[in-house]
Amino acid sequence: MPQASRVLVASRNFANDATFEIKKCDLHRLEEGPPVTTVLTREDGLKYYRMMQTVRRMELKADQLYKQKIIRGFCHLCDGQEACCVGLEAGINPTDHLITAYRAHGFTFTRGLSVRAILAELTGRRGGCAKGKGGSMHMYAKNFYGGNGIVGAQVPLGAGIALACKYNGKDEICLTLYGDGAANQGQIFEAYNMAALWKLPCIFICENNRYGMGTSVERAAASTDYYKRGDFIPGLRVDGMDILCVREATRFAAAYCRAGKGPILMELQTYRYHGHSMSDPGVSYRTREEIQEVRSKSDPIMLLKDRMVNSNLASVEELKEIDVDVRKEIEDAAQFATADPEPPLEELGYHIYCSDPPFEVRGANQWIKFKSIS
Amino acid sequence: MTLRDPCPVCVPSERPLSLSLSLSLSLCLSPRQVSGLLRRRFHRTAPAALQVTVREAINQGMDEELERDEKVFLLGEEVAQYDGAYKVSRGLWKKYGDKRIIDTPISEMGFAGIAVGAAMAGLRPICEFMTFNFSMQAIDQVINSAAKTYYMSAGFQSVPIVFRGPNGASAGVAAQHSQCFAAWYGHCPGLKVVSPWSSEDAKGLIKSAIRDNNPVVVLENELMYGVPFELPPEAQSKDFLIPIGKAKIERQGTHVTIVSHSRPVSHCLEAATVLSKEGIECEVINMRTIRPMDIETIEASVMKTNHLVTVEGGWPQFGVGAEICARIMEGPAFNFLDAPVVRVTGADVPMPYAKVLEDNSVPQVKDIIFAIKKALNM
């Protein structure tokens, strides 16, 4: 953008903040819910916009790299669901904890890892956040426990992290995410029971994007009111395409947990543009019209942009500048992820055990040995 | 009464002849006078060898580690207010309370996952399965959430957890309650798997397991819980640890190496005693650890005796003995074998109920003796 117009943008007067109305959440076993209005500061708005745009472009880049066969195996993208990962992060502290399933790239970013480290992990290079050992579904960061491949298994894990929060007495909480497909897993109900029994500071969050792989919610669940499925656990159903709605609901739920009242359940109604994974075109079980309708009416980035521009929190040009910046960041990260070498073969046996002296790991036959260090 | 404050674990029917009792008899003091003496002056002095059951040893080991590190806690069915389904955790809830000793609902997959999550977040849980048969409900959490995580995260996320409970055959509990899981868990990289036999094993291994930063599966044995062993002085120290990954030679011998783990070690020693009278000296190795397996100790012994018999309670196919055979063939000891390795295992059937059938579904002393003689071509 030319220097002159940049100066113009900088000197224009934007509002510091604006108040927005947000959708009222459906409540289960709750007398009151989150507020129906919220204040968004210009600073926060720009931050959320940038973060959502980064997740969006990162996922689209991953799509590209997958089609070029530079990313292999499983690749589950979350474009369309940006308001969830960014909105949840906006409602908690960095010292809180979060765990999710395999559609995890967005959360890996919002929990603090760089696009570089994420893309390089997807391409299986040594600069990846798990040094190429984990791949798409196994990325970890501080207070972020992945990235879990077994549907539903992350939910008891999250309840356990919440148990540790309570045990340590530091007012931290754990956000435990799962999808509409996972919501029918038995172990989730076991986790609900123990979390409620022991009043664990756990927010169970169902990211309902209407389809568990190729199965629509109506075909999978006798009750699609996922926010009520916790039964004795209070719940709220949230517009997961509106980042402000997600943020307010998260703040509400976090306060509930921190007050020692036990677990609470949030259903985020959201949508994924891609199929279940890169192996799924995503149009055999839903119509292109449906996808297009969500894109044009409910896209989370568009919703935030419109709000900000219409309330004079930001200008169209300014947001375009951010887009350009983000594109560059993603491009640089993709360059790195493509050029970085694969992990050295010598490290194949590393990280079997923690805190142990080095030992030998068997390879494909008895003469092939790999050194294993912690 | 033992030398610490009244041991809450002593089961009246198993009370051994205690040091204080024998002291009081020899010094003509009343037991009360002696216990006062012992408490005041001998509280921290290393005592002579002590009779302790395997149950008491596990209890002591957990108690010491709970006291040592407040991040350690125990969860499982009936572990708290019931004192443990097999009374292994007796007294711990009374001493440590609800925060550290947690009764769970019957939800193995759920509470195993909760335990793994707590470990990921920095606590040091001991997750009890009432028997390892029930661990099958939770095995995904043990393998996929616990064992593999350190590797998948390239060393970022450790999982310092212990899964413990009784494993293998009991008495009359039939097929669904009698399976041995040594081979199943021993198969997986990222896990450590130990199988204590004696009280010393039980205490040293549970303490090492709790202090280990990796997921450790501790395969106990219900029929061994009540068996007393002499606990040597060094094993009575609060820092007594048995290294994971090291086998112990329980009996030196020259003619044949017998390798076993858990309760069958007792039968091997019995067989060795019988055979000794016939001039056959068996070297009996107690594996102590299933994974990582101490094949070196076995190899060194085979290179000395030239004959090997493996003895286990589990099924033969893809079992511990099968793995030992494979590794011996791959290593230096193969050329020292004068005969093929012989395996003694549980019968290849689901465990039957009727006593005659059950007795013949597990290795008996006569089966071990027969196998040894076959190995020696006698």
Side-chain angles (χ1 to χ4, degrees):
Chain A
M1 198 185 188
Q3 243 353 76
S5 26
R6 243 190 219 146
V7 170
L8 264 174
V9 167
S11 65
R12 177 173 149 180
N13 280 331
F14 292 109
N16 263 340
D17 56 57
T19 304
F20 297 102
E21 273 176 19
I22 52 179
K23 214 184 278 180
K24 185 174 191 300
C25 296
D26 294 319
L27 302 177
H28 169 68
R29 287 189 190 266
L30 283 167
E31 291 297 312
E32 284 167 0
V36 293
T37 62
T38 184
V39 174
L40 176 66
T41 66
R42 175 176 143 78
E43 190 185 335
D44 279 346
L46 290 172
K47 182 172 77 172
Y48 302 156
Y49 181 84
R50 190 189 185 97
M51 283 174 83
M52 287 203 286
Q53 194 66 280
T54 305
V55 173
R56 173 69 57 92
R57 299 248 67 97
M58 176 178 74
E59 296 293 78
L60 293 179
K61 178 56 72 177
D63 168 287
Q64 213 177 69
L65 292 170
Y66 194 92
K67 286 170 176 155
Q68 294 174 279
K69 298 195 196 290
I70 301 172
I71 296 177
R72 311 173 313 120
F74 289 133
C75 191
H76 308 87
L77 301 176
C78 69
D79 50 311
Q81 300 184 201
E82 295 85 356
C84 295
C85 54
V86 180
L88 286 171
E89 190 65 34
I92 57 172
N93 305 322
T95 46
D96 289 322
H97 307 258
L98 193 146
I99 189 170
T100 186
Y102 48 75
R103 200 174 303 282
H105 310 157
F107 291 101
T108 313
F109 173 72
T110 53
R111 282 265 94 190
L113 289 192
S114 68
V115 178
R116 248 165 98 94
I118 295 171
L119 287 182
E121 186 59 35
L122 290 176
T123 56
R125 309 302 166 95
R126 62 182 70 183
C129 55
K131 304 185 186 168
K133 301 282 271 293
S136 169
M137 300 183 292
H138 307 295
M139 304 191 198
Y140 301 82
K142 186 167 195 304
N143 298 344
F144 175 60
Y145 303 82
N148 289 275
I150 308 295
V151 171
Q154 76 279 10
V155 177
L157 293 181
I161 296 161
L163 186 146
C165 289
K166 182 168 179 179
Y167 195 102
N168 291 327
K170 283 193 274 184
D171 242 9
E172 294 166 6
I173 62 175
C174 183
L175 274 58
T176 301
L177 285 98
Y178 54 96
D180 49 277
N184 300 311
Q185 269 269 313
Q187 57 186 315
I188 292 185
F189 296 88
E190 295 188 10
Y192 287 162
N193 182 41
M194 285 182 271
L197 212 47
W198 301 332
K199 289 195 153 40
L200 302 182
C202 184
I203 308 179
F204 293 105
I205 302 168
C206 178
E207 255 182 314
N208 176 5
N209 60 20
R210 306 197 211 167
Y211 300 94
M213 202 154 145
T215 305
S216 67
V217 292
E218 301 79 41
R219 292 205 303 127
S223 162
T224 56
D225 289 334
Y226 296 102
Y227 71 114
K228 291 185 184 172
R229 297 280 295 274
D231 188 6
F232 35 78
I233 297 180
L236 37 150
R237 183 157 55 190
V238 181
D239 179 357
M241 302 307 267
D242 177 356
I243 192 190
L244 297 181
C245 209
V246 176
R247 183 183 74 171
E248 282 317 305
T250 308
R251 284 177 173 165
F252 175 86
Y256 182 94
C257 285
R258 279 187 238 279
K261 296 183 187 173
I264 189 169
L265 213 162
M266 270 169 57
E267 176 188 340
L268 304 179
Q269 292 188 302
T270 184
Y271 199 84
R272 52 165 163 82
Y273 295 142
H274 267 84
H276 163 72
S277 73
M278 286 304 297
S279 321
D280 169 29
V283 288
S284 62
Y285 47 87
R286 54 185 192 172
T287 62
R288 287 182 208 272
E289 287 73 40
E290 180 188 283
I291 305 171
Q292 201 29 55
E293 178 160 8
V294 175
R295 253 194 222 279
S296 55
K297 298 218 178 101
S298 316
D299 184 282
I301 300 176
M302 176 194 76
L303 287 180
L304 178 65
K305 175 178 173 186
D306 288 348
R307 269 185 167 145
M308 289 186 68
V309 166
N310 294 341
S311 319
N312 197 29
L313 285 177
S315 70
V316 171
E317 295 76 30
E318 185 177 22
L319 296 180
K320 276 215 171 77
E321 246 182 81
I322 294 179
D323 291 350
V324 168
D325 222 27
V326 166
R327 244 180 247 265
K328 182 161 191 325
E329 184 187 343
I330 305 300
E331 209 44 61
D332 284 350
Q335 271 296 332
F336 171 73
T338 312
D340 201 39
E342 285 189 295
L345 187 56
E346 301 80 68
E347 292 185 12
L348 185 149
Y350 285 15
H351 312 122
I352 295 287
Y353 292 135
C354 176
S355 315
D356 269 22
F359 66 101
E360 267 180 356
V361 158
R362 187 192 165 107
N365 63 42
Q366 70 203 64
W367 297 279
I368 300 173
K369 299 235 189 280
F370 293 98
K371 189 171 183 194
S372 184
I373 65 172
S374 292
Chain B
M1 212 188 298
T2 60
L3 288 171
R4 57 183 68 223
D5 287 331
C7 175
V9 178
C10 275
V11 175
S13 59
E14 295 169 322
R15 182 170 285 142
L17 188 68
S18 67
L19 177 61
S20 62
L21 191 51
S22 47
L23 262 181
S24 75
L25 286 171
S26 54
L27 298 175
C28 303
L29 295 168
S30 78
R32 234 183 118 232
Q33 287 172 300
V34 170
S35 73
L37 236 185
L38 291 172
R39 248 190 299 238
R40 277 197 302 277
R41 293 183 58 204
F42 296 111
H43 186 64
R44 286 285 176 256
T45 313
L50 209 55
Q51 285 274 322
V52 166
T53 63
V54 171
R55 172 187 286 113
E56 289 164 346
I58 301 168
N59 185 284
Q60 279 175 30
M62 289 198 289
D63 191 354
E64 286 170 9
E65 295 307 303
L66 282 158
E67 195 175 275
R68 177 180 177 270
D69 183 350
E70 49 174 43
K71 296 205 287 290
V72 176
F73 71 100
L74 171 67
L75 85 168
E77 293 153 12
E78 311 297 350
V79 296
Q81 297 188 23
Y82 197 83
D83 273 335
Y86 302 98
K87 307 302 179 203
V88 177
S89 54
R90 182 188 270 130
L92 297 181
W93 174 67
K94 193 160 169 210
K95 183 171 176 184
Y96 295 101
D98 288 330
K99 180 181 174 181
R100 313 280 305 280
I101 314 291
I102 304 175
D103 275 337
T104 65
I106 307 174
S107 309
E108 274 77 6
M109 199 167 184
F111 72 69
I114 282 177
V116 174
M120 289 178 171
L123 297 184
R124 305 189 74 91
I126 306 168
C127 176
E128 178 179 300
F129 292 118
M130 195 181 279
T131 76
F132 266 96
N133 300 285
F134 315 142
S135 75
M136 274 201 287
Q137 306 259 311
I139 199 163
D140 173 68
Q141 296 289 4
V142 178
I143 307 302
N144 280 319
S145 301
K148 298 178 183 173
T149 293
Y150 192 70
Y151 187 85
M152 292 191 295
S153 68
F156 182 85
Q157 179 65 67
S158 66
V159 187
I161 188 169
V162 173
F163 298 101
R164 54 158 290 274
N167 174 63
S170 178
V173 294
Q176 293 178 342
H177 289 76
S178 305
Q179 190 170 329
C180 175
F181 288 84
W184 284 36
Y185 289 117
H187 190 55
C188 302
L191 271 190
K192 295 190 182 180
V193 182
V194 299
S195 183
W197 164 64
S198 63
S199 297
E200 182 185 341
D201 287 357
K203 184 165 182 192
L205 287 173
I206 192 73
K207 286 168 73 73
S208 290
I210 293 167
R211 294 192 195 189
D212 201 305
N213 286 334
N214 294 287
V216 183
V217 169
V218 182
L219 302 171
E220 300 161 6
N221 186 293
E222 199 225 315
L223 296 174
M224 294 304 291
Y225 281 154
V227 178
F229 287 83
E230 210 167 82
L231 206 63
E234 62 273 12
Q236 293 166 48
S237 150
K238 284 194 175 175
D239 284 312
F240 170 67
L241 300 172
I242 287 181
I244 295 178
K246 200 85 189 68
K248 183 183 179 202
I249 299 175
E250 298 287 351
R251 183 190 194 279
Q252 303 264 7
T254 47
H255 298 124
V256 56
T257 301
I258 322 294
V259 181
S260 186
H261 71 96
S262 190
R263 182 158 177 265
V265 172
S266 303
H267 303 316
C268 294
L269 289 169
E270 253 187 83
T273 305
V274 170
L275 288 170
S276 184
K277 300 192 187 94
E278 297 178 41
I280 300 169
E281 293 305 325
C282 301
E283 180 143 291
V284 178
I285 298 178
N286 168 12
M287 290 176 72
R288 285 179 159 179
T289 299
I290 304 294
R291 182 175 190 117
M293 191 187 291
D294 180 6
I295 196 68
E296 289 81 20
T297 298
I298 303 173
E299 281 172 335
S301 176
V302 170
M303 282 155 81
K304 184 176 74 170
T305 67
N306 312 118
H307 299 85
L308 178 57
V309 176
T310 69
V311 183
E312 67 198 282
W315 293 318
Q317 290 198 40
F318 310 97
V320 174
E323 176 65 16
I324 293 173
C325 287
R327 294 226 207 164
I328 289 293
M329 280 204 300
E330 291 175 348
F334 175 69
N335 290 315
F336 288 78
L337 280 173
D338 286 347
V341 179
V342 173
R343 295 180 295 162
V344 182
T345 69
D348 204 10
V349 295
M351 184 67 72
Y353 169 67
K355 187 152 200 325
V356 61
L357 300 179
E358 185 184 62
D359 286 348
N360 284 279
S361 298
V362 294
Q364 302 173 71
V365 177
K366 65 166 174 70
D367 304 321
I368 301 173
I369 290 172
F370 188 89
I372 292 170
K373 287 186 170 173
K374 278 285 188 189
L376 293 170
N377 203 26
M378 296 170 76

